[in-house]
Amino acid sequence: MINGDSGTGKTFLYKLMLDKARAEKDSRFIFFNHMVPDKKYIKSEILTHKDKIFVVDDADIILDKELKSLISVNTSNQYIIFTHSIDGYTLGKKNIAVLKIKNNKGVLEYPLLQSVKDGSYMARGKGKNGKQKNEKR
């Protein structure tokens, strides 16, 4: 999920990905934007395909509540969604990035992974010895 204000380059990045996939004839990708025929078409594509990467631009416009729910539970595919709002999606902390412009470059930031103190987060888990470990990422 990549969200950001208008003019931050979301559609530009979408078009770059589309052009590259077409040039390389990469069939792993399926692209949707505001020009898609209708929501029934999107639903049938999601339900029909497996092991695909769906790239969706203008998600605020083309994805309704039903499609957002379907995407949230569909584990057969991966999704890259460009939007202005993350409302209506079931997402984890690693699923949300914000596209920002810094020094004339597009940068993805993961705000839910950043702690208030130092911008890092702690990955928690058990090491090989079975003891709890905290690893700074």
Side-chain angles (χ1 to χ4, degrees), residues 95-123:
N95 300 113
I96 303 169
V98 178
L99 183 59
K100 294 189 174 182
I101 305 298
K102 291 187 176 181
N103 299 324
N104 291 324
K105 293 182 181 179
V107 177
L108 291 179
E109 293 183 354
Y110 295 83
L112 299 179
L113 294 178
Q114 297 170 345
S115 74
V116 176
K117 276 187 174 180
D118 63 2
S120 66
Y121 72 100
M122 300 299 282

mmCIF file of all heavy atoms in Angstrom, residues 95-123:
data_model
loop_
_atom_site.group_PDB
_atom_site.id
_atom_site.type_symbol
_atom_site.label_atom_id
_atom_site.label_comp_id
_atom_site.label_asym_id
_atom_site.label_seq_id
_atom_site.Cartn_x
_atom_site.Cartn_y
_atom_site.Cartn_z
ATOM 1 N N ASN A 95 2.727 -3.120 5.697
ATOM 2 C CA ASN A 95 1.980 -3.009 4.454
ATOM 3 C C ASN A 95 1.700 -1.583 4.023
ATOM 4 O O ASN A 95 1.099 -1.378 2.975
ATOM 5 C CB ASN A 95 0.633 -3.733 4.569
ATOM 6 C CG ASN A 95 0.789 -5.196 4.876
ATOM 7 O OD1 ASN A 95 0.415 -5.628 5.950
ATOM 8 N ND2 ASN A 95 1.365 -5.952 3.974
ATOM 9 N N ILE A 96 2.086 -0.605 4.821
ATOM 10 C CA ILE A 96 1.734 0.774 4.514
ATOM 11 C C ILE A 96 2.996 1.605 4.328
ATOM 12 O O ILE A 96 3.827 1.705 5.221
ATOM 13 C CB ILE A 96 0.879 1.402 5.624
ATOM 14 C CG1 ILE A 96 -0.388 0.566 5.838
ATOM 15 C CG2 ILE A 96 0.531 2.847 5.293
ATOM 16 C CD1 ILE A 96 -1.162 0.929 7.071
ATOM 17 N N ALA A 97 3.118 2.191 3.143
ATOM 18 C CA ALA A 97 4.228 3.097 2.857
ATOM 19 C C ALA A 97 3.652 4.419 2.374
ATOM 20 O O ALA A 97 2.588 4.461 1.771
ATOM 21 C CB ALA A 97 5.147 2.503 1.790
ATOM 22 N N VAL A 98 4.368 5.481 2.654
ATOM 23 C CA VAL A 98 3.972 6.804 2.187
ATOM 24 C C VAL A 98 5.028 7.261 1.198
ATOM 25 O O VAL A 98 6.228 7.234 1.502
ATOM 26 C CB VAL A 98 3.859 7.811 3.359
ATOM 27 C CG1 VAL A 98 3.500 9.189 2.845
ATOM 28 C CG2 VAL A 98 2.819 7.339 4.366
ATOM 29 N N LEU A 99 4.600 7.665 0.005
ATOM 30 C CA LEU A 99 5.515 8.167 -1.009
ATOM 31 C C LEU A 99 5.703 9.655 -0.776
ATOM 32 O O LEU A 99 4.756 10.429 -0.802
ATOM 33 C CB LEU A 99 4.969 7.905 -2.412
ATOM 34 C CG LEU A 99 5.846 8.316 -3.587
ATOM 35 C CD1 LEU A 99 7.201 7.610 -3.536
ATOM 36 C CD2 LEU A 99 5.147 8.018 -4.902
ATOM 37 N N LYS A 100 6.956 10.046 -0.520
ATOM 38 C CA LYS A 100 7.277 11.448 -0.280
ATOM 39 C C LYS A 100 8.420 11.857 -1.189
ATOM 40 O O LYS A 100 9.214 11.030 -1.618
ATOM 41 C CB LYS A 100 7.679 11.671 1.182
ATOM 42 C CG LYS A 100 6.541 11.425 2.150
ATOM 43 C CD LYS A 100 6.902 11.865 3.529
ATOM 44 C CE LYS A 100 5.692 11.730 4.437
ATOM 45 N NZ LYS A 100 5.986 12.200 5.774
ATOM 46 N N ILE A 101 8.486 13.132 -1.475
ATOM 47 C CA ILE A 101 9.580 13.673 -2.278
ATOM 48 C C ILE A 101 10.599 14.297 -1.340
ATOM 49 O O ILE A 101 10.272 15.176 -0.545
ATOM 50 C CB ILE A 101 9.068 14.733 -3.280
ATOM 51 C CG1 ILE A 101 7.956 14.160 -4.160
ATOM 52 C CG2 ILE A 101 10.220 15.302 -4.108
ATOM 53 C CD1 ILE A 101 8.379 12.998 -5.025
ATOM 54 N N LYS A 102 11.851 13.823 -1.426
ATOM 55 C CA LYS A 102 12.944 14.364 -0.624
ATOM 56 C C LYS A 102 14.144 14.544 -1.538
ATOM 57 O O LYS A 102 14.572 13.593 -2.180
ATOM 58 C CB LYS A 102 13.296 13.429 0.531
ATOM 59 C CG LYS A 102 12.218 13.358 1.591
ATOM 60 C CD LYS A 102 12.683 12.562 2.780
ATOM 61 C CE LYS A 102 11.604 12.604 3.844
ATOM 62 N NZ LYS A 102 12.014 11.876 5.036
ATOM 63 N N ASN A 103 14.654 15.757 -1.583
ATOM 64 C CA ASN A 103 15.806 16.059 -2.452
ATOM 65 C C ASN A 103 15.555 15.630 -3.893
ATOM 66 O O ASN A 103 16.392 15.014 -4.533
ATOM 67 C CB ASN A 103 17.080 15.405 -1.914
ATOM 68 C CG ASN A 103 17.443 15.906 -0.538
ATOM 69 O OD1 ASN A 103 17.244 17.078 -0.221
ATOM 70 N ND2 ASN A 103 17.958 15.028 0.300
ATOM 71 N N ASN A 104 14.353 15.936 -4.385
ATOM 72 C CA ASN A 104 13.948 15.615 -5.752
ATOM 73 C C ASN A 104 13.933 14.120 -6.061
ATOM 74 O O ASN A 104 14.066 13.711 -7.203
ATOM 75 C CB ASN A 104 14.824 16.349 -6.773
ATOM 76 C CG ASN A 104 14.575 17.835 -6.751
ATOM 77 O OD1 ASN A 104 13.442 18.274 -6.553
ATOM 78 N ND2 ASN A 104 15.613 18.612 -6.930
ATOM 79 N N LYS A 105 13.786 13.289 -5.036
ATOM 80 C CA LYS A 105 13.702 11.845 -5.226
ATOM 81 C C LYS A 105 12.478 11.324 -4.498
ATOM 82 O O LYS A 105 12.116 11.806 -3.432
ATOM 83 C CB LYS A 105 14.941 11.144 -4.658
ATOM 84 C CG LYS A 105 16.212 11.448 -5.410
ATOM 85 C CD LYS A 105 17.363 10.682 -4.827
ATOM 86 C CE LYS A 105 18.636 11.019 -5.577
ATOM 87 N NZ LYS A 105 19.796 10.309 -5.029
ATOM 88 N N GLY A 106 11.831 10.321 -5.083
ATOM 89 C CA GLY A 106 10.719 9.663 -4.414
ATOM 90 C C GLY A 106 11.247 8.692 -3.378
ATOM 91 O O GLY A 106 12.136 7.899 -3.660
ATOM 92 N N VAL A 107 10.718 8.779 -2.169
ATOM 93 C CA VAL A 107 11.166 7.940 -1.066
ATOM 94 C C VAL A 107 9.946 7.292 -0.421
ATOM 95 O O VAL A 107 8.945 7.963 -0.177
ATOM 96 C CB VAL A 107 11.919 8.793 -0.010
ATOM 97 C CG1 VAL A 107 12.327 7.953 1.180
ATOM 98 C CG2 VAL A 107 13.115 9.479 -0.618
ATOM 99 N N LEU A 108 10.029 6.000 -0.151
ATOM 100 C CA LEU A 108 8.960 5.318 0.574
ATOM 101 C C LEU A 108 9.306 5.307 2.051
ATOM 102 O O LEU A 108 10.395 4.880 2.443
ATOM 103 C CB LEU A 108 8.788 3.882 0.087
ATOM 104 C CG LEU A 108 8.229 3.700 -1.308
ATOM 105 C CD1 LEU A 108 8.147 2.210 -1.646
ATOM 106 C CD2 LEU A 108 6.865 4.329 -1.447
ATOM 107 N N GLU A 109 8.382 5.791 2.866
ATOM 108 C CA GLU A 109 8.542 5.753 4.313
ATOM 109 C C GLU A 109 7.477 4.837 4.880
ATOM 110 O O GLU A 109 6.357 4.791 4.381
ATOM 111 C CB GLU A 109 8.403 7.154 4.904
ATOM 112 C CG GLU A 109 9.525 8.084 4.512
ATOM 113 C CD GLU A 109 9.406 9.455 5.157
ATOM 114 O OE1 GLU A 109 8.388 9.729 5.823
ATOM 115 O OE2 GLU A 109 10.345 10.251 4.989
ATOM 116 N N TYR A 110 7.823 4.115 5.919
ATOM 117 C CA TYR A 110 6.912 3.193 6.583
ATOM 118 C C TYR A 110 6.601 3.735 7.978
ATOM 119 O O TYR A 110 7.249 3.361 8.950
ATOM 120 C CB TYR A 110 7.530 1.791 6.651
ATOM 121 C CG TYR A 110 7.723 1.195 5.287
ATOM 122 C CD1 TYR A 110 8.841 1.495 4.516
ATOM 123 C CD2 TYR A 110 6.757 0.359 4.754
ATOM 124 C CE1 TYR A 110 8.992 0.965 3.239
ATOM 125 C CE2 TYR A 110 6.900 -0.181 3.490
ATOM 126 C CZ TYR A 110 8.032 0.134 2.736
ATOM 127 O OH TYR A 110 8.166 -0.390 1.479
ATOM 128 N N PRO A 111 5.603 4.604 8.079
ATOM 129 C CA PRO A 111 5.374 5.322 9.328
ATOM 130 C C PRO A 111 4.997 4.442 10.507
ATOM 131 O O PRO A 111 5.322 4.770 11.643
ATOM 132 C CB PRO A 111 4.234 6.287 8.983
ATOM 133 C CG PRO A 111 3.569 5.697 7.801
ATOM 134 C CD PRO A 111 4.636 4.965 7.046
ATOM 135 N N LEU A 112 4.343 3.326 10.281
ATOM 136 C CA LEU A 112 3.936 2.479 11.395
ATOM 137 C C LEU A 112 5.088 1.654 11.955
ATOM 138 O O LEU A 112 4.973 1.086 13.034
ATOM 139 C CB LEU A 112 2.785 1.561 10.982
ATOM 140 C CG LEU A 112 1.508 2.284 10.551
ATOM 141 C CD1 LEU A 112 0.449 1.275 10.147
ATOM 142 C CD2 LEU A 112 0.990 3.186 11.653
ATOM 143 N N LEU A 113 6.190 1.593 11.240
ATOM 144 C CA LEU A 113 7.367 0.864 11.717
ATOM 145 C C LEU A 113 8.328 1.768 12.471
ATOM 146 O O LEU A 113 9.273 1.296 13.081
ATOM 147 C CB LEU A 113 8.108 0.206 10.549
ATOM 148 C CG LEU A 113 7.357 -0.893 9.823
ATOM 149 C CD1 LEU A 113 8.198 -1.418 8.670
ATOM 150 C CD2 LEU A 113 7.006 -2.025 10.768
ATOM 151 N N GLN A 114 8.099 3.050 12.406
ATOM 152 C CA GLN A 114 9.021 3.998 13.031
ATOM 153 C C GLN A 114 8.595 4.263 14.470
ATOM 154 O O GLN A 114 7.449 4.557 14.740
ATOM 155 C CB GLN A 114 9.049 5.310 12.252
ATOM 156 C CG GLN A 114 9.564 5.120 10.850
ATOM 157 C CD GLN A 114 9.374 6.353 9.984
ATOM 158 O OE1 GLN A 114 8.635 7.245 10.335
ATOM 159 N NE2 GLN A 114 10.054 6.374 8.868
ATOM 160 N N SER A 115 9.551 4.161 15.372
ATOM 161 C CA SER A 115 9.240 4.498 16.764
ATOM 162 C C SER A 115 9.347 6.004 16.923
ATOM 163 O O SER A 115 9.967 6.696 16.127
ATOM 164 C CB SER A 115 10.197 3.795 17.724
ATOM 165 O OG SER A 115 11.466 4.406 17.676
ATOM 166 N N VAL A 116 8.753 6.508 17.961
ATOM 167 C CA VAL A 116 8.792 7.943 18.217
ATOM 168 C C VAL A 116 10.217 8.379 18.522
ATOM 169 O O VAL A 116 10.651 9.456 18.123
ATOM 170 C CB VAL A 116 7.856 8.301 19.401
ATOM 171 C CG1 VAL A 116 7.961 9.770 19.749
ATOM 172 C CG2 VAL A 116 6.428 7.913 19.075
ATOM 173 N N LYS A 117 11.005 7.537 19.194
ATOM 174 C CA LYS A 117 12.353 7.915 19.615
ATOM 175 C C LYS A 117 13.333 8.096 18.464
ATOM 176 O O LYS A 117 13.907 9.146 18.273
ATOM 177 C CB LYS A 117 12.923 6.864 20.567
ATOM 178 C CG LYS A 117 12.508 7.043 21.982
ATOM 179 C CD LYS A 117 13.265 6.052 22.834
ATOM 180 C CE LYS A 117 12.977 6.319 24.290
ATOM 181 N NZ LYS A 117 13.679 5.379 25.134
ATOM 182 N N ASP A 118 13.587 7.027 17.716
ATOM 183 C CA ASP A 118 14.700 7.094 16.766
ATOM 184 C C ASP A 118 14.367 6.637 15.358
ATOM 185 O O ASP A 118 15.269 6.425 14.555
ATOM 186 C CB ASP A 118 15.887 6.291 17.298
ATOM 187 C CG ASP A 118 15.568 4.812 17.446
ATOM 188 O OD1 ASP A 118 14.457 4.390 17.111
ATOM 189 O OD2 ASP A 118 16.455 4.092 17.903
ATOM 190 N N GLY A 119 13.108 6.452 15.045
ATOM 191 C CA GLY A 119 12.743 6.069 13.688
ATOM 192 C C GLY A 119 12.974 4.610 13.387
ATOM 193 O O GLY A 119 12.866 4.188 12.251
ATOM 194 N N SER A 120 13.300 3.798 14.389
ATOM 195 C CA SER A 120 13.500 2.371 14.151
ATOM 196 C C SER A 120 12.391 1.585 14.836
ATOM 197 O O SER A 120 11.577 2.132 15.557
ATOM 198 C CB SER A 120 14.854 1.927 14.693
ATOM 199 O OG SER A 120 14.869 2.044 16.097
ATOM 200 N N TYR A 121 12.377 0.307 14.600
ATOM 201 C CA TYR A 121 11.423 -0.545 15.302
ATOM 202 C C TYR A 121 12.158 -1.770 15.779
ATOM 203 O O TYR A 121 13.260 -2.066 15.349
ATOM 204 C CB TYR A 121 10.230 -0.914 14.419
ATOM 205 C CG TYR A 121 10.553 -1.898 13.315
ATOM 206 C CD1 TYR A 121 10.261 -3.234 13.445
ATOM 207 C CD2 TYR A 121 11.154 -1.471 12.139
ATOM 208 C CE1 TYR A 121 10.563 -4.135 12.439
ATOM 209 C CE2 TYR A 121 11.457 -2.364 11.147
ATOM 210 C CZ TYR A 121 11.158 -3.688 11.299
ATOM 211 O OH TYR A 121 11.456 -4.575 10.310
ATOM 212 N N MET A 122 11.570 -2.480 16.681
ATOM 213 C CA MET A 122 12.195 -3.673 17.224
ATOM 214 C C MET A 122 11.487 -4.903 16.667
ATOM 215 O O MET A 122 10.271 -5.020 16.773
ATOM 216 C CB MET A 122 12.095 -3.688 18.747
ATOM 217 C CG MET A 122 12.779 -2.503 19.410
ATOM 218 S SD MET A 122 14.535 -2.418 19.094
ATOM 219 C CE MET A 122 15.109 -3.655 20.215
ATOM 220 N N ALA A 123 12.256 -5.789 16.087
ATOM 221 C CA ALA A 123 11.716 -7.069 15.647
ATOM 222 C C ALA A 123 11.877 -8.031 16.818
ATOM 223 O O ALA A 123 12.967 -8.180 17.352
ATOM 224 C CB ALA A 123 12.474 -7.576 14.429
#
